[in-house]
Amino acid sequence: MRGRDYEARLINELLRRGRTGAGGVVLVEGGQGMGKSLLLAEAAKAATAQGFTTVAAVADELERTIPLCALTLALGDDTGVTGPAGDDLGALDVPADPDPRTRAVAHLRRSLERLAAQGPVLVTADDLQYADPVTLLALRVLPRQLAARPLCWILARATEPRTQRTAAARLFDLLDHDGADRLLLRPLPEPAIAEVVADLLGVVPGSALLALAGGADGNPFLVAELLKGLREEGMLTTAAERATAATERLPERVTRFFQHRIGSLPPQTRQLVEVSAVLGRSFAVEDVAEMLGQTPAAVLPGISDALAAGILVAAGDSLRFRDDMTWRAVREAMPGSMSRALHRQFGQLLLARGDPLQAAAHLVWGARQGDDRVLRELDKAAREALPRSPQTAADLAGRALELTAPEDPARPCRSVSAVQALLAARRLREATALTSAAL
């Protein structure tokens, strides 16, 4: 568990208390892919090594209609219970009760009491954002009812959103109030990510590969998916015991993952996210609203959906994509013709505002050979940028010249403009080479 030293110490302390008969509850929260499941698996492995019986439950969104499904399967299936007491749990007598929910929870309590009578028990419950109401009820009452038993609980839920999180969040708040320890799994720091990459590859990662992995913003799941995708597409090379990435583009495996996430959003929200990706990693609400031909108030529902889905986050006066990898995956998955059209639209919008420097990059992305209208816009942006930023003007003029056909009557004038901008930017070698080529 790279970068999770504090979490490991807290779980070891929980197991120590469990061995002495005290037990306790640890609550684990974090965004998708932050390592909650791995943390629970490592805790179960450590508990088994210390003589615990382990009960590993995982809630499933498709099983929410079946009360106590995850816990019942964990207790009644040989793969869900490990240890000497994991058999014949269904033959217990449960007192009659008119409420089937109460009977189910009472049955579960008797099963756990029988296990705890034979030694310490660790119950892990993962993905509780998907749990049914009776499971959440059981996890509310059983830790208090069985507090005197050598019973430890580690409960985990995803904090991201579009996943029926309200009831699970309320459960965590109540258990926190009762004295449970609460862990929020934050993004891993860069050194830990480097160690994760080295662990997964078995060699030291190069700087380019680490830069690519850094786009995951400390999310270990995304880093693992990135490495799998690079391997699948043959884009990993190893030389002198060092791994490097053969490309800067994201592998298809990663873009498919984000396409699936974006595809689950409502159509209007998906459109907002895709248009926002063209504007940049960070963008203003007013800009995306204007691109969509709407008011900021009209795009508010879509923004709320994207924030709830963990695609976008608030950043002061702006919004931004949660991490660089999310932004790049959405942008790279867009068809080239659509991307060029949106870049061109935004560049024209910025030019109309009198902001040629910001318009420059978008106009360059939106240009294609033979498109006279866009090339004239590049000419205008280069002229307006020249007094304030000769470097930008030189890049724009050079790009306009690249996209101008040799037989185009505008090519001589664009050659002169490009040379003038290069001279103003003090890029003398490039200016000399371009002059010679034009002559």
Side-chain angles (χ1 to χ4, degrees):
M1 290 296 295
R2 299 293 188 179
R4 302 297 188 201
D5 294 342
Y6 171 75
E7 292 82 354
R9 287 196 299 270
L10 187 61
I11 288 174
N12 285 334
E13 173 60 21
L14 173 72
L15 298 180
R16 186 195 65 77
R17 294 199 307 266
R19 291 196 308 271
T20 63
V25 180
V26 170
L27 308 172
V28 181
E29 299 171 290
Q32 294 179 354
M34 283 299 168
K36 297 179 297 299
S37 299
L38 178 59
L39 184 66
L40 267 59
E42 290 296 316
K45 187 186 302 183
T48 300
Q50 297 176 33
F52 279 71
T53 294
T54 59
V55 178
V58 181
D60 188 319
E61 188 174 16
L62 298 180
E63 296 172 347
R64 293 192 76 249
T65 58
I66 307 174
L68 284 178
C69 181
L71 289 170
T72 300
L73 287 175
L75 282 165
D77 191 328
D78 290 339
T79 62
V81 179
T82 61
D87 58 353
D88 196 26
L89 297 178
L92 299 171
D93 294 326
V94 178
D97 190 289
D99 190 336
R101 295 173 301 178
T102 305
R103 293 200 305 272
V105 173
H107 179 89
L108 184 64
R109 174 181 173 177
R110 294 290 186 86
S111 300
L112 291 172
E113 284 177 333
R114 180 171 178 175
L115 289 175
Q118 301 182 39
V121 178
L122 172 66
V123 178
T124 64
D126 199 4
D127 284 338
L128 289 178
Q129 71 274 9
Y130 297 129
D132 64 274
V134 184
T135 294
L136 297 178
L137 172 64
L139 295 174
R140 172 68 187 116
V141 300
L142 291 180
R144 288 186 298 181
Q145 292 177 350
L146 301 175
R149 303 286 198 279
L151 191 60
C152 299
W153 306 79
I154 305 179
L155 313 180
R157 74 177 185 98
T159 53
E160 287 182 1
R162 308 173 55 80
T163 48
Q164 301 293 332
R165 68 187 181 95
T166 304
R170 189 177 304 119
L171 168 68
F172 274 47
D173 289 341
L174 291 170
L175 293 173
D176 186 10
H177 184 267
D178 288 347
D181 293 307
R182 200 161 187 167
L183 291 175
L184 175 60
L185 297 189
R186 301 185 184 278
L188 292 177
E190 288 184 10
I193 287 294
E195 292 175 341
V196 168
V197 175
D199 290 341
L200 293 173
L201 296 180
V203 293
V204 177
S207 58
L209 181 56
L210 286 179
L212 201 56
D217 196 30
N219 187 308
F221 172 79
L222 290 182
V223 170
E225 289 295 289
L226 171 70
L227 298 179
K228 289 177 185 176
L230 292 173
R231 271 182 171 149
E232 289 169 354
E233 298 182 27
M235 296 192 296
L236 273 179
T237 59
T238 304
E241 298 301 315
R242 184 175 292 270
T244 59
T247 179
E248 293 184 357
R249 75 172 180 85
L250 296 176
E252 288 295 323
R253 185 186 190 93
V254 174
T255 55
R256 284 197 305 269
F257 170 78
F258 284 105
Q259 282 179 312
H260 176 73
R261 289 192 66 185
I262 302 300
S264 66
L265 298 171
Q268 290 183 334
T269 303
R270 187 165 62 249
Q271 180 189 27
L272 181 144
V273 168
E274 291 172 342
V275 171
S276 299
V278 172
L279 307 188
R281 165 102 190 257
S282 178
F283 58 93
V285 174
E286 294 83 358
D287 287 345
V288 70
E290 190 167 352
M291 285 286 288
L292 293 170
Q294 299 176 349
T295 64
V299 299
L300 183 58
I303 289 174
S304 297
D305 284 345
L307 290 170
I311 303 295
L312 302 178
V313 295
D317 295 334
S318 303
L319 295 174
R320 67 178 177 86
F321 284 82
R322 174 174 290 278
D323 51 65
D324 187 69
M325 194 174 290
T326 303
W327 171 53
R328 287 188 56 191
V330 175
R331 188 183 60 179
E332 292 177 15
M334 192 178 301
S337 58
M338 179 59 68
S339 177
R340 283 194 299 272
L342 290 172
H343 276 293
R344 176 177 168 179
Q345 179 186 347
F346 192 49
Q348 291 169 335
L349 185 156
L350 293 172
L351 272 183
R353 293 180 185 172
D355 193 348
L357 295 182
Q358 287 195 26
H362 294 282
L363 291 173
V364 167
W365 273 100
R368 65 178 184 271
Q369 190 168 29
D371 192 332
D372 290 337
R373 180 178 175 183
V374 175
L375 291 176
R376 288 195 297 271
E377 289 168 350
L378 281 175
D379 294 338
K380 178 182 177 182
R383 288 193 301 271
E384 294 184 5
L386 186 60
R388 288 181 284 175
S389 177
Q391 294 287 354
T392 300
D395 291 340
L396 286 170
R399 179 60 173 159
L401 184 61
E402 287 175 10
L403 296 173
T404 303
E407 67 277 8
D408 193 321
R411 188 172 179 86
C413 289
R414 289 200 176 108
S415 297
V416 172
S417 297
V419 170
Q420 290 174 332
L422 287 167
L423 290 172
R426 300 188 179 277
R427 291 157 61 173
L428 303 185
R429 289 184 180 179
E430 294 176 66
T432 301
L434 181 55
T435 299
S436 299
L439 292 175

